[in-house]
Amino acid sequence: MMALPYITEHTGFTGTVYATEPTVQIGRLLMEELVNFIERVPKAQLASLWKNKDIQRLLPSPLKDAVEVSTWRSCYSMQEVNSALSKIQLVGYSQKIELFGAVQVTPLSSGYALGSSNWIIQSHYEKVSYVSGSSLLTTHPQPMDQASLKNSDVLILTGLTQIPTANPDGMVGEFCSNLALTVRNGGNVLVPCYPSGVIYDLLECLYQYIDSAGLSSIPFYFISPVANSSLEFSQIFAEWLCHNKQTKVYLPEPPFPHAELIQTNKLKHYPSIHGDFSNDFRQPCVVFTGHPSLRFGDVVHFMELWGKSSLNTVIFTEPDFSYLEALAPYQPLAMKCIYCPIDTRLNFIQVSKLLKEVQPLHVVCPEQYTQPPPAQSHRMDLMIDCQPPAMSYRRAEVLALPFKRRYEKIEIMPELADSLVPMEIKPGISLATVSAVLHTKDNKHILQPPPRPTQPTGGKKRKRASDDIPDCKVLKPLLSGSIPVDQFVQTLEKHGFSDIKVEDTAKGHIVLLQEAETLIQIEEDSTHIICDNDEMLRVRLRDLVLKFLQKF
Amino acid sequence: MDPGCSRLLPALCAALADPRQPVADDTCLEKLLDWLQTVTEAGSSLLLLQENPCLVELLFHVVKSQDLSSRILAFSLRLAGMFAAQETCFQYLQGDSSLFVASAAGQLLVHVLDLAMRGPAEGHCGPQAHAWPACAQEIVCHIEASLRSTATPQVAQALNVLTTAFGHYHGLWMQGLWVRLSPLVARLLERDPVPAAHSLVDLLLSVARSAGPSPDGGLWETLAQTLSRLSPTQAGPLALGILQLQGCPQALRTQAFGRLLQPLACVLKAAAQAPGPPGLPEGAAGDSVTVDTLLSSKSACVGLLCCALAHLELLQPLPQRPSPWPQAPLLGAAVTILRFCNGSASPTSDVGGRLCTILVGCARVQRAALDFLGVLSQETGPQEPVTQVFAILLEYLVSPDSSPMVLKKAFQATLRWLLRPPRAPGCCDLDPHPQLFLGELLPVLQKRLCSPCWEVRDSGLEFLTQVTRSWGGQAGFRHALLASEVPELTRQLLRDPESYVRASAVTATGQLSSQGLHAPPASPEHPGVQQSLLEELLHILSTDAEGFPRRAVMQVFTEWLRDGHADVAEDPEQFVARVLQAASRDLDWEVRAQGLELALVFLEQVLGQRGSRCAYAVALPEAAPPGTLAQALRALCRVQLFEFAFRALFDCDRPVAQKSCELLLFLRAKAAPYGSPQDAGGSPDVASVEATLQRWQAGEQGQPLGHLEPGAVMAVLKSLDLEGLRDTLAESSDHVEKSPQSLLQDMLASVGVLSENEADCY
């Protein structure tokens, strides 16, 4: 989502973007915060010469190791964000969206965040599921819709947890314990975070925890340009929430307990550290603010302010950034650093359960998921284990999905269907020939009755080439059935042929009429009569063959 | 039979005979049968039948009825059998779906068999089968046919019957029976899979136990064969059973121990970085079948490992366990399993990789391995990898992924390893290992006490209490603990929202305070805010809404009084008075009972120990020289101990009343030799006390006793029939509910539903 403006505004994109409403609204907030953080500290000038490979080589690490720096772009503007968002068409869960008549696309709840989706792309005979960031844990969003993923030909699996060894429950416990220990000692806690997502769950955990931990008097500050909107938006997306939270709305109660934290003044939110915040600021306290990379945003200020005291603690909860790299420019640092990445996306155990449940014919996933992480090469449990083995892909690789399109659905107009005369060729199976015009438009195929042949009017023949219609009258009948060789030979003998020899071939039989120097080749789907220039004989033989076959 | 029951019995019999009635469950019928048995044993069965014709009617009805449930049929048959104990021709009922019926049928067969074999002239039936009576022959043939059957349930029934036989009887004929049947049993081992393996194991062990010290050689062979034939999971219980047998050949014991160790050997082998002997005895080397079982599925692997660990845990403390005990490799195996489970093992073998995938994060195996690790602490070995043990325990205690239950087990195992007797006798301070470990442990404990999960806070506090109880006097521990925030955090947990945690925090702070390790006084910014611990605990006792914390406070106070805690010793009378006042109002009977325990401790302190002849009193700070009963009694009156005890005497909860009765009897015995200080027998004071007590006994406990004089107390004590009261209280509180009349009423009530419904129809 955060990259959307780059796609829609800089690549000549002219299509439609589909997204759920919370995705759009929360995505807007996240981009708004980013733009705000960046624009607060405008750069006097832009430098791009360093991207020259010869110069980049000379730069210190990690700059010199960065790949494809030439594609790096400066941050988009709010205008571009708005333009990108205007191209989005809103969709709801389980809504079926037709794409050019060729496929139907459906978003399903993925359980990871408000409005987060997995997608089904299906035609009449094929089904591809695209699973992105999904969660099976009971957090605030609607639970993951697994049932709709069943019967997939291909399941594309992406967006698994970035920290497969960290269990979110354990991490939340660590987060709370470390927070309490720090605050009890008179220290402050800094939580670098995004303004939406895990923070809702963290606030909910803290809501239940602060009284038991004796932290009721400790202020919690949430500082973000979009803090207010984020907290309020979360409360109004009732239909996108888990069942428990949905029922609260009908009581009526706010679905998230952070409303109560705000009412009781335990949680306060500010757009930035300037203004009201500086008047209210009281220590020890807990501050939630961005950006989790520690490179921009209000968090920078708090790192500078609290970094020198060992009483304070910074707790990293967002899994997107390496905390060591984030901290690198602040070293030496006296404050305690705790790494509690909370990533609720699927881990490998959950994937294995999901695949057992959903049973796709094929799994396609990034290459990284098919082997243990390089740092823990013995952990065979940290990879996708399925049968048949998952098909993997690398960045920017084009894959041919492992299925063939065999069938196409064609509709028959009712009046044409009425005119069919089916013939039962074996119990339960009837056949009928059909003569029709195949009409194809928007990837939909319709059989329509052929136009009636125009009766020649008067004696004049004014037929033009363009008026030609298919000649449907002189159709040869279709044949079906098989020829029993023994009976066929008997029939031949009855009709005066002698000296008949039968040879078995890989595909059928060859009946040799040695005297007549004629050969009848009988195969499953064809019969050939080969005789030298004796049309009479050929026709006789043909009629004998036809006696064994059905015509319609 | 008492008349009450006689009146109820006809209705019940009618209900039992009525197939439409949803008659009572098996348990009720069992109880009914038990009761009728006691009635027939107490008097004449014939008389019973004559007086209660409904019983005979029931039996007649059952014989005729087509649609009775099998449980009623079985009940009636057993009832008939009871009345005509000589009859030996009962149907086989073994296949019944009811567990009671099947087991009863099995037992019946065994009894009949025994009866037949003993015959009229006891001991005549020897091992020679051809001389057995026809009835026995028939039963044995039935068992033989069952053993030959291809249906596993039938084989299992036969094996169960034999197990019962060998468990109950030890006659000569049993040997004959075994000689005759053992080839059939041995043939079961040739089938694949072995049918009814559990029952087979039970039978073989039962035979081995009944056979005494020198059984027939064939048995040991069968056992050895079975051991190697059964799957690893089935062989475990057999191996453990063999190792517990007396007089078992050493070779078989070695084989059994090897079999028990096999799963652990596989784990050790799979984890080994370099090939080498894992150090387990010969025979333990993991065979391919064990490896296959371990790798076949997660549930098989978890089941096998948990059983192996549990069996070894049972074996460890037994005197007949194998010697030498392979302590070091077992420790290594436990640690390795724990490493597989937390993903820190880095095996190079394929089997290791698979095990890692199966076991990682498996809480069941973690719990079993931690329990086993704890048990191994009781053992000393030459080269124990103690460092490894502490390292893995610390990993588990630190890991955010440890579930609350696993964490609890980790704390328990840690405690056992920390508290094991010092290696060097006479050394009063800690071993270097625990001391080093402590430095890392306390920060973890600190964090765990802040966990959002109450179970974790609770286990942390329990651990702290126990470790302090044992180590409170050791300088190293005291220093480390006081330097940490643990005491302060513990004190804060007295206000935890979860009552179990508050209770554990009360016990922990009480223990810390007893050892002089309580949280330092209030911080300089808020002087006086923090009340003394005594006041805080009293506050909990009088205000906490849950029973657990209040019970814990009473226990702590009792210990404090017993041990002469400094805060208590300042003014014990005032302390006891306040505690008893709070406890007397408590709705929880355990708190009131504990109040009596505390009163008893106080009583012993002012009057001298119970059971000791010399009546000495612990010096009370402000008391005159001890020894005079009058002084002691006055002290007891001042703390209102009598009011508390008398109220408790008529408490609606029996244990409280019992305890109070004991206390007052002790007091009366103590005081008796000295005679009553003054004759207060007929004084108005005594009369009013007695009147109040009578009202209390009648349930009106509102009125207070008011101030009592020692003389009046002694007079009241003498006039009370405490012995009589004690005897009444000693009768089980459910003696009313357990009565046969109550059973009959209950059964009738359960069928009563139907008759009410029928009435509605009209």
Side-chain angles (χ1 to χ4, degrees), chain B residues 687-711:
Chain B
S688 106
V689 169
E690 281 175 343
T692 310
L693 290 188
Q694 270 165 12
R695 272 199 294 281
W696 284 3
Q697 191 162 18
E700 302 166 34
Q701 297 230 340
Q703 193 182 349
L705 268 186
H707 182 70
L708 289 177
E709 281 303 322

PDB file of all heavy atoms in Angstrom, chain B residues 687-711:
ATOM      1  N   ALA B 687     -24.006 -18.673  84.451  1.00  0.00           N
ATOM      2  CA  ALA B 687     -25.335 -18.979  83.937  1.00  0.00           C
ATOM      3  C   ALA B 687     -25.604 -18.228  82.642  1.00  0.00           C
ATOM      4  O   ALA B 687     -26.128 -18.791  81.665  1.00  0.00           O
ATOM      5  CB  ALA B 687     -26.386 -18.602  84.979  1.00  0.00           C
ATOM      6  N   SER B 688     -25.196 -16.977  82.613  1.00  0.00           N
ATOM      7  CA  SER B 688     -25.461 -16.185  81.399  1.00  0.00           C
ATOM      8  C   SER B 688     -24.622 -16.699  80.228  1.00  0.00           C
ATOM      9  O   SER B 688     -25.078 -16.753  79.091  1.00  0.00           O
ATOM     10  CB  SER B 688     -25.238 -14.694  81.678  1.00  0.00           C
ATOM     11  OG  SER B 688     -24.045 -14.248  81.079  1.00  0.00           O
ATOM     12  N   VAL B 689     -23.376 -17.103  80.535  1.00  0.00           N
ATOM     13  CA  VAL B 689     -22.529 -17.659  79.461  1.00  0.00           C
ATOM     14  C   VAL B 689     -23.166 -18.926  78.911  1.00  0.00           C
ATOM     15  O   VAL B 689     -23.280 -19.112  77.699  1.00  0.00           O
ATOM     16  CB  VAL B 689     -21.103 -17.961  79.983  1.00  0.00           C
ATOM     17  CG1 VAL B 689     -20.321 -18.768  78.953  1.00  0.00           C
ATOM     18  CG2 VAL B 689     -20.370 -16.678  80.320  1.00  0.00           C
ATOM     19  N   GLU B 690     -23.619 -19.787  79.821  1.00  0.00           N
ATOM     20  CA  GLU B 690     -24.205 -21.041  79.369  1.00  0.00           C
ATOM     21  C   GLU B 690     -25.458 -20.804  78.536  1.00  0.00           C
ATOM     22  O   GLU B 690     -25.683 -21.475  77.520  1.00  0.00           O
ATOM     23  CB  GLU B 690     -24.510 -21.940  80.563  1.00  0.00           C
ATOM     24  CG  GLU B 690     -23.235 -22.612  81.052  1.00  0.00           C
ATOM     25  CD  GLU B 690     -23.430 -23.421  82.320  1.00  0.00           C
ATOM     26  OE1 GLU B 690     -24.455 -23.227  83.007  1.00  0.00           O
ATOM     27  OE2 GLU B 690     -22.542 -24.243  82.622  1.00  0.00           O
ATOM     28  N   ALA B 691     -26.232 -19.816  78.979  1.00  0.00           N
ATOM     29  CA  ALA B 691     -27.445 -19.487  78.217  1.00  0.00           C
ATOM     30  C   ALA B 691     -27.081 -19.018  76.805  1.00  0.00           C
ATOM     31  O   ALA B 691     -27.695 -19.421  75.810  1.00  0.00           O
ATOM     32  CB  ALA B 691     -28.235 -18.409  78.947  1.00  0.00           C
ATOM     33  N   THR B 692     -26.061 -18.157  76.730  1.00  0.00           N
ATOM     34  CA  THR B 692     -25.629 -17.657  75.419  1.00  0.00           C
ATOM     35  C   THR B 692     -25.147 -18.810  74.537  1.00  0.00           C
ATOM     36  O   THR B 692     -25.484 -18.890  73.349  1.00  0.00           O
ATOM     37  CB  THR B 692     -24.493 -16.627  75.588  1.00  0.00           C
ATOM     38  OG1 THR B 692     -24.901 -15.679  76.541  1.00  0.00           O
ATOM     39  CG2 THR B 692     -24.174 -15.938  74.263  1.00  0.00           C
ATOM     40  N   LEU B 693     -24.369 -19.701  75.149  1.00  0.00           N
ATOM     41  CA  LEU B 693     -23.835 -20.831  74.369  1.00  0.00           C
ATOM     42  C   LEU B 693     -24.973 -21.697  73.830  1.00  0.00           C
ATOM     43  O   LEU B 693     -24.910 -22.189  72.707  1.00  0.00           O
ATOM     44  CB  LEU B 693     -22.887 -21.679  75.224  1.00  0.00           C
ATOM     45  CG  LEU B 693     -21.551 -21.038  75.597  1.00  0.00           C
ATOM     46  CD1 LEU B 693     -20.634 -22.055  76.272  1.00  0.00           C
ATOM     47  CD2 LEU B 693     -20.850 -20.477  74.372  1.00  0.00           C
ATOM     48  N   GLN B 694     -26.014 -21.856  74.651  1.00  0.00           N
ATOM     49  CA  GLN B 694     -27.152 -22.661  74.183  1.00  0.00           C
ATOM     50  C   GLN B 694     -27.815 -22.005  72.970  1.00  0.00           C
ATOM     51  O   GLN B 694     -28.211 -22.668  72.017  1.00  0.00           O
ATOM     52  CB  GLN B 694     -28.169 -22.827  75.314  1.00  0.00           C
ATOM     53  CG  GLN B 694     -27.876 -24.074  76.137  1.00  0.00           C
ATOM     54  CD  GLN B 694     -28.616 -24.080  77.461  1.00  0.00           C
ATOM     55  OE1 GLN B 694     -29.528 -23.261  77.678  1.00  0.00           O
ATOM     56  NE2 GLN B 694     -28.204 -24.969  78.343  1.00  0.00           N
ATOM     57  N   ARG B 695     -27.903 -20.676  73.043  1.00  0.00           N
ATOM     58  CA  ARG B 695     -28.494 -19.978  71.893  1.00  0.00           C
ATOM     59  C   ARG B 695     -27.611 -20.140  70.651  1.00  0.00           C
ATOM     60  O   ARG B 695     -28.091 -20.329  69.549  1.00  0.00           O
ATOM     61  CB  ARG B 695     -28.690 -18.487  72.208  1.00  0.00           C
ATOM     62  CG  ARG B 695     -30.053 -18.230  72.863  1.00  0.00           C
ATOM     63  CD  ARG B 695     -30.432 -16.775  72.751  1.00  0.00           C
ATOM     64  NE  ARG B 695     -29.565 -15.893  73.502  1.00  0.00           N
ATOM     65  CZ  ARG B 695     -29.667 -15.722  74.813  1.00  0.00           C
ATOM     66  NH1 ARG B 695     -30.591 -16.350  75.505  1.00  0.00           N
ATOM     67  NH2 ARG B 695     -28.830 -14.899  75.448  1.00  0.00           N
ATOM     68  N   TRP B 696     -26.301 -20.070  70.894  1.00  0.00           N
ATOM     69  CA  TRP B 696     -25.374 -20.249  69.763  1.00  0.00           C
ATOM     70  C   TRP B 696     -25.565 -21.617  69.142  1.00  0.00           C
ATOM     71  O   TRP B 696     -25.588 -21.781  67.927  1.00  0.00           O
ATOM     72  CB  TRP B 696     -23.916 -20.103  70.229  1.00  0.00           C
ATOM     73  CG  TRP B 696     -23.525 -18.657  70.471  1.00  0.00           C
ATOM     74  CD1 TRP B 696     -24.315 -17.563  70.380  1.00  0.00           C
ATOM     75  CD2 TRP B 696     -22.232 -18.185  70.853  1.00  0.00           C
ATOM     76  NE1 TRP B 696     -23.626 -16.437  70.681  1.00  0.00           N
ATOM     77  CE2 TRP B 696     -22.325 -16.788  70.973  1.00  0.00           C
ATOM     78  CE3 TRP B 696     -21.015 -18.811  71.125  1.00  0.00           C
ATOM     79  CZ2 TRP B 696     -21.237 -15.998  71.338  1.00  0.00           C
ATOM     80  CZ3 TRP B 696     -19.936 -18.025  71.480  1.00  0.00           C
ATOM     81  CH2 TRP B 696     -20.042 -16.626  71.592  1.00  0.00           C
ATOM     82  N   GLN B 697     -25.709 -22.598  70.031  1.00  0.00           N
ATOM     83  CA  GLN B 697     -25.853 -23.971  69.536  1.00  0.00           C
ATOM     84  C   GLN B 697     -27.122 -24.102  68.698  1.00  0.00           C
ATOM     85  O   GLN B 697     -27.159 -24.874  67.730  1.00  0.00           O
ATOM     86  CB  GLN B 697     -25.910 -24.946  70.712  1.00  0.00           C
ATOM     87  CG  GLN B 697     -25.781 -26.388  70.275  1.00  0.00           C
ATOM     88  CD  GLN B 697     -25.390 -27.310  71.426  1.00  0.00           C
ATOM     89  OE1 GLN B 697     -25.533 -26.949  72.601  1.00  0.00           O
ATOM     90  NE2 GLN B 697     -24.883 -28.485  71.090  1.00  0.00           N
ATOM     91  N   ALA B 698     -28.124 -23.316  69.082  1.00  0.00           N
ATOM     92  CA  ALA B 698     -29.389 -23.355  68.350  1.00  0.00           C
ATOM     93  C   ALA B 698     -29.313 -22.544  67.055  1.00  0.00           C
ATOM     94  O   ALA B 698     -30.279 -22.447  66.315  1.00  0.00           O
ATOM     95  CB  ALA B 698     -30.510 -22.834  69.228  1.00  0.00           C
ATOM     96  N   GLY B 699     -28.164 -21.936  66.823  1.00  0.00           N
ATOM     97  CA  GLY B 699     -28.006 -21.222  65.553  1.00  0.00           C
ATOM     98  C   GLY B 699     -28.129 -19.716  65.665  1.00  0.00           C
ATOM     99  O   GLY B 699     -27.943 -19.001  64.693  1.00  0.00           O
ATOM    100  N   GLU B 700     -28.454 -19.206  66.865  1.00  0.00           N
ATOM    101  CA  GLU B 700     -28.532 -17.740  67.005  1.00  0.00           C
ATOM    102  C   GLU B 700     -27.199 -17.245  67.532  1.00  0.00           C
ATOM    103  O   GLU B 700     -26.942 -17.254  68.731  1.00  0.00           O
ATOM    104  CB  GLU B 700     -29.635 -17.356  68.005  1.00  0.00           C
ATOM    105  CG  GLU B 700     -31.003 -17.877  67.634  1.00  0.00           C
ATOM    106  CD  GLU B 700     -31.963 -17.769  68.820  1.00  0.00           C
ATOM    107  OE1 GLU B 700     -31.848 -16.804  69.605  1.00  0.00           O
ATOM    108  OE2 GLU B 700     -32.802 -18.672  68.962  1.00  0.00           O
ATOM    109  N   GLN B 701     -26.360 -16.833  66.591  1.00  0.00           N
ATOM    110  CA  GLN B 701     -24.989 -16.474  66.994  1.00  0.00           C
ATOM    111  C   GLN B 701     -24.808 -14.970  67.122  1.00  0.00           C
ATOM    112  O   GLN B 701     -23.690 -14.485  67.214  1.00  0.00           O
ATOM    113  CB  GLN B 701     -23.989 -17.056  65.990  1.00  0.00           C
ATOM    114  CG  GLN B 701     -24.020 -18.582  65.952  1.00  0.00           C
ATOM    115  CD  GLN B 701     -22.652 -19.212  66.080  1.00  0.00           C
ATOM    116  OE1 GLN B 701     -21.660 -18.561  65.836  1.00  0.00           O
ATOM    117  NE2 GLN B 701     -22.596 -20.453  66.476  1.00  0.00           N
ATOM    118  N   GLY B 702     -25.886 -14.244  67.077  1.00  0.00           N
ATOM    119  CA  GLY B 702     -25.776 -12.791  67.075  1.00  0.00           C
ATOM    120  C   GLY B 702     -25.218 -12.211  68.368  1.00  0.00           C
ATOM    121  O   GLY B 702     -24.412 -11.284  68.351  1.00  0.00           O
ATOM    122  N   GLN B 703     -25.617 -12.790  69.459  1.00  0.00           N
ATOM    123  CA  GLN B 703     -25.280 -12.180  70.748  1.00  0.00           C
ATOM    124  C   GLN B 703     -23.819 -12.410  71.136  1.00  0.00           C
ATOM    125  O   GLN B 703     -23.326 -13.531  71.047  1.00  0.00           O
ATOM    126  CB  GLN B 703     -26.183 -12.794  71.815  1.00  0.00           C
ATOM    127  CG  GLN B 703     -26.151 -12.018  73.110  1.00  0.00           C
ATOM    128  CD  GLN B 703     -27.023 -12.693  74.154  1.00  0.00           C
ATOM    129  OE1 GLN B 703     -27.784 -13.606  73.835  1.00  0.00           O
ATOM    130  NE2 GLN B 703     -26.889 -12.251  75.383  1.00  0.00           N
ATOM    131  N   PRO B 704     -23.118 -11.346  71.600  1.00  0.00           N
ATOM    132  CA  PRO B 704     -21.726 -11.555  72.032  1.00  0.00           C
ATOM    133  C   PRO B 704     -21.682 -12.101  73.452  1.00  0.00           C
ATOM    134  O   PRO B 704     -22.655 -11.983  74.200  1.00  0.00           O
ATOM    135  CB  PRO B 704     -21.132 -10.155  71.958  1.00  0.00           C
ATOM    136  CG  PRO B 704     -22.279  -9.224  72.153  1.00  0.00           C
ATOM    137  CD  PRO B 704     -23.518  -9.919  71.679  1.00  0.00           C
ATOM    138  N   LEU B 705     -20.548 -12.680  73.811  1.00  0.00           N
ATOM    139  CA  LEU B 705     -20.377 -13.224  75.155  1.00  0.00           C
ATOM    140  C   LEU B 705     -20.057 -12.126  76.156  1.00  0.00           C
ATOM    141  O   LEU B 705     -20.309 -12.265  77.331  1.00  0.00           O
ATOM    142  CB  LEU B 705     -19.247 -14.249  75.164  1.00  0.00           C
ATOM    143  CG  LEU B 705     -19.605 -15.715  74.941  1.00  0.00           C
ATOM    144  CD1 LEU B 705     -18.366 -16.556  75.124  1.00  0.00           C
ATOM    145  CD2 LEU B 705     -20.695 -16.157  75.891  1.00  0.00           C
ATOM    146  N   GLY B 706     -19.447 -11.091  75.627  1.00  0.00           N
ATOM    147  CA  GLY B 706     -19.029 -10.023  76.528  1.00  0.00           C
ATOM    148  C   GLY B 706     -17.762 -10.407  77.269  1.00  0.00           C
ATOM    149  O   GLY B 706     -17.122 -11.417  76.943  1.00  0.00           O
ATOM    150  N   HIS B 707     -17.385  -9.618  78.246  1.00  0.00           N
ATOM    151  CA  HIS B 707     -16.146  -9.874  78.962  1.00  0.00           C
ATOM    152  C   HIS B 707     -16.280 -11.104  79.856  1.00  0.00           C
ATOM    153  O   HIS B 707     -17.289 -11.305  80.508  1.00  0.00           O
ATOM    154  CB  HIS B 707     -15.764  -8.647  79.800  1.00  0.00           C
ATOM    155  CG  HIS B 707     -14.472  -8.861  80.515  1.00  0.00           C
ATOM    156  ND1 HIS B 707     -13.262  -8.915  79.849  1.00  0.00           N
ATOM    157  CD2 HIS B 707     -14.219  -9.054  81.831  1.00  0.00           C
ATOM    158  CE1 HIS B 707     -12.299  -9.125  80.737  1.00  0.00           C
ATOM    159  NE2 HIS B 707     -12.861  -9.207  81.946  1.00  0.00           N
ATOM    160  N   LEU B 708     -15.266 -11.938  79.815  1.00  0.00           N
ATOM    161  CA  LEU B 708     -15.308 -13.171  80.603  1.00  0.00           C
ATOM    162  C   LEU B 708     -14.225 -13.148  81.669  1.00  0.00           C
ATOM    163  O   LEU B 708     -13.117 -12.657  81.444  1.00  0.00           O
ATOM    164  CB  LEU B 708     -15.079 -14.380  79.705  1.00  0.00           C
ATOM    165  CG  LEU B 708     -16.199 -14.771  78.739  1.00  0.00           C
ATOM    166  CD1 LEU B 708     -15.757 -15.938  77.888  1.00  0.00           C
ATOM    167  CD2 LEU B 708     -17.444 -15.137  79.522  1.00  0.00           C
ATOM    168  N   GLU B 709     -14.571 -13.748  82.799  1.00  0.00           N
ATOM    169  CA  GLU B 709     -13.576 -13.922  83.866  1.00  0.00           C
ATOM    170  C   GLU B 709     -13.040 -15.346  83.774  1.00  0.00           C
ATOM    171  O   GLU B 709     -13.795 -16.269  83.462  1.00  0.00           O
ATOM    172  CB  GLU B 709     -14.236 -13.701  85.228  1.00  0.00           C
ATOM    173  CG  GLU B 709     -14.432 -12.234  85.596  1.00  0.00           C
ATOM    174  CD  GLU B 709     -13.135 -11.433  85.592  1.00  0.00           C
ATOM    175  OE1 GLU B 709     -12.093 -11.995  86.013  1.00  0.00           O
ATOM    176  OE2 GLU B 709     -13.154 -10.271  85.134  1.00  0.00           O
ATOM    177  N   PRO B 710     -11.756 -15.535  84.059  1.00  0.00           N
ATOM    178  CA  PRO B 710     -11.174 -16.885  83.960  1.00  0.00           C
ATOM    179  C   PRO B 710     -11.976 -17.924  84.741  1.00  0.00           C
ATOM    180  O   PRO B 710     -12.165 -19.043  84.267  1.00  0.00           O
ATOM    181  CB  PRO B 710      -9.778 -16.715  84.558  1.00  0.00           C
ATOM    182  CG  PRO B 710      -9.460 -15.269  84.368  1.00  0.00           C
ATOM    183  CD  PRO B 710     -10.745 -14.513  84.437  1.00  0.00           C
ATOM    184  N   GLY B 711     -12.474 -17.548  85.905  1.00  0.00           N
ATOM    185  CA  GLY B 711     -13.216 -18.507  86.728  1.00  0.00           C
ATOM    186  C   GLY B 711     -14.439 -19.023  86.011  1.00  0.00           C
ATOM    187  O   GLY B 711     -14.710 -20.239  85.953  1.00  0.00           O
TER     188      GLY B 711
END
